[in-house]
Amino acid sequence: MRFRHPDGSTVHLAYCTNVHPAETLDGVLAQLRDHCEPVRRRLGRDRLGIGLWLAKDAADALTADPSALRALRAALDRRGLEVVTLNGFPYQGFGAEKVKYRVYKPDWADPERLDHTTSLARVLAALLPDDVTEGTVSTLPLAWRTAYDDTRADAAHAALRTLGERLDVVAELTGRSIRVGLEPEPGCTVETTADAIGPLTAIGHDRIGVCVDTCHLATSFEDPHTALDALVRARVPVVKSQLSAALHAEHPHLPEVREALAAFDEPRFLHQTRTATAAGLRGTDDLGDALTGDALPDASPWRAHFHVPLHAAPVAPLTSTLPVLKAALTRLVGGPHPLTRHLEVETYTWQALPAELRPTTRARLTDGIAAELSLARDLLTDLGLKELP
């Protein structure tokens, strides 16, 4: 979906396909047929943006075979779909029964991460619509915080500098500028947007910046305006933003709130949980850890890294951090010029929701994704952007 900003620039809105597990190119093509095109039709649109997730095997197939890349581009065109952004955070296995800490491997100290991200940039340059010259890729924020020492930090920073050089080459060869954004996430070396400023300033490449995920922003209790203003002052580019909402518990000391939270403690994904105290941010690596004993103070609200559907907040006594998303979006695109032109709805946890909230059919998942995009569209038009055909 495209929108015209009051300054005349185009803002793109997509939804991320990491909600649909697929590791191979054939799986990606099936996603377009079974999920993405039905969402477009449900919205009554001639064209729909999708943020593709390409696992290692799919990316390798596309870089090894130019005809496969042309076939993917043709399939996108045939189904009324367009791609300006890729989710390069998960490397492989995101559809596994247990993902947890595996999603952070390989990290930026490992050569495989540089090679994979380079492949994604080259693929995206070929997939961009004919009238679009800029693409974006989100990636993990350097590494999970444990086992990350100075040696691995030096290796990660060197890899990102090399990536910057390779992105320059892609631009020179194709005329398309691909930018990569580190996506701050709780528990990682770069947990907050503030944590991103130092490494990115040191790397100093204008094609490498930040991907602001509004669920992660909220989970870490960052104020959107403060965070984004700091990035602007530091001249760190906001490459893209993922529109998502975290799970919020206002009174975590109450038994009924603990019981409601326990329904979201599931075995597949990591749900880092945080609370803001007078002594600073406190947290656990997973929601189950927070619910066990006294691991996390409960005198003030908790937020958990669980991407809940944007249009359907959890029932009381829980809610979502949709207000944080709205505040972030106001700063991102509500000013005289957008801080980013690529927005991506990223609720990948539909099948990890409590059983009574999960979509039980493909049609219900289509309805849910379409409803999230409709909400995001309304937020953008309320900010003065004009939806384009």
Side-chain angles (χ1 to χ4, degrees):
M1 300 170 76
R2 299 187 183 193
F3 298 81
R4 182 74 68 209
H5 190 274
D7 74 349
S9 63
T10 300
V11 173
H12 295 264
L13 172 66
Y15 93 87
C16 187
T17 64
N18 63 353
V19 64
H20 313 304
E23 299 287 318
T24 66
L25 181 54
D26 285 344
V28 171
L29 293 170
Q31 286 177 352
L32 306 185
R33 179 194 67 221
D34 296 338
H35 298 288
C36 303
E37 185 176 7
V39 170
R40 177 184 65 77
R41 293 183 180 278
R42 190 64 48 88
L43 288 166
R45 302 281 307 174
D46 293 332
R47 173 175 54 188
L48 178 68
I50 57 171
L52 271 183
W53 172 57
L54 298 173
K56 176 187 182 297
D57 288 348
D60 287 350
L62 292 167
T63 53
D65 185 356
S67 65
L69 187 54
R70 290 193 296 270
L72 175 58
R73 173 64 187 274
L76 290 165
D77 293 341
R78 185 170 64 253
R79 299 191 184 282
L81 305 169
E82 65 178 14
V83 175
V84 302
T85 190
L86 300 179
N87 187 331
F89 196 134
Y91 181 72
Q92 59 188 8
F94 200 61
E97 290 185 3
K98 185 175 182 179
V99 179
K100 297 292 184 179
Y101 294 95
R102 291 172 51 195
V103 75
Y104 306 105
K105 291 292 185 179
D107 64 33
W108 273 101
D110 299 319
E112 295 89 348
R113 177 60 64 173
L114 172 61
D115 292 343
H116 179 59
T117 309
T118 301
S119 295
L120 294 178
R122 291 169 176 162
V123 167
L124 181 56
L127 293 181
L128 289 177
D130 292 340
D131 61 343
V132 174
T133 59
E134 181 179 295
T136 57
V137 180
S138 50
T139 188
L140 84 161
L142 298 183
W144 185 253
R145 70 183 186 281
T146 57
Y148 189 74
D149 55 19
D150 289 344
T151 299
R152 291 187 67 79
D154 289 343
H157 293 178
L160 284 166
R161 292 189 184 97
T162 299
L163 176 67
E165 295 169 358
R166 293 180 181 181
L167 296 176
D168 288 342
V169 172
V170 170
E172 182 178 353
L173 293 176
T174 67
R176 268 80 186 279
S177 175
I178 307 300
R179 298 194 297 165
V180 173
L182 304 184
E183 183 184 329
E185 176 167 314
C188 292
T189 300
V190 174
E191 171 157 340
T192 66
T193 56
D195 293 336
I197 291 174
L200 289 173
T201 301
I203 292 162
H205 198 289
D206 61 3
R207 287 195 170 94
I208 301 178
V210 167
C211 167
V212 175
D213 184 303
T214 59
C215 171
H216 304 172
L217 190 81
T219 301
S220 294
F221 286 86
E222 289 195 82
D223 174 75
H225 290 276
T226 302
L228 293 169
D229 286 349
L231 293 175
V232 170
R233 286 194 301 271
R235 297 186 178 180
V236 172
V238 181
V239 168
K240 66 185 275 190
S241 180
Q242 289 171 326
L243 306 183
S244 53
L247 191 63
H248 180 95
E250 186 68 19
H251 302 293
H253 65 284
L254 296 177
E256 61 267 29
V257 175
R258 294 291 187 106
E259 182 179 356
L261 284 170
F264 288 85
D265 179 27
E266 54 83 38
R268 185 171 174 189
F269 298 113
L270 206 60
H271 301 296
Q272 303 93 312
T273 304
R274 299 288 184 267
T275 187
T277 73
L281 201 65
R282 293 280 301 277
T284 60
D285 283 355
D286 213 346
L287 179 56
D289 300 332
L291 293 170
T292 302
D294 300 321
L296 197 63
D298 60 6
S300 55
W302 287 2
R303 290 176 179 172
H305 173 218
F306 195 119
H307 290 220
V308 295
L310 302 185
H311 67 292
V315 298
L318 303 179
T319 186
S320 81
T321 60
L322 185 62
V324 177
L325 184 160
K326 292 179 178 178
L329 198 58
T330 298
R331 183 67 181 88
L332 286 166
V333 300
H337 303 287
L339 298 185
T340 185
R341 292 187 295 275
H342 290 180
L343 305 172
E344 179 183 55
V345 171
E346 196 213 12
T347 304
Y348 59 84
T349 46
W350 283 96
Q351 298 304 331
L353 289 167
E356 68 274 13
L357 301 178
R358 294 175 200 164
T360 54
T361 65
R362 188 181 295 168
R364 290 186 178 178
L365 178 58
T366 296
D367 289 342
I369 294 170
E372 288 193 294
L373 286 167
S374 294
L375 183 147
R377 175 188 60 201
D378 291 346
L379 293 177
L380 291 172
T381 56
D382 287 347
L383 290 171
L385 282 71
K386 181 182 179 181
E387 186 176 7
L388 298 175

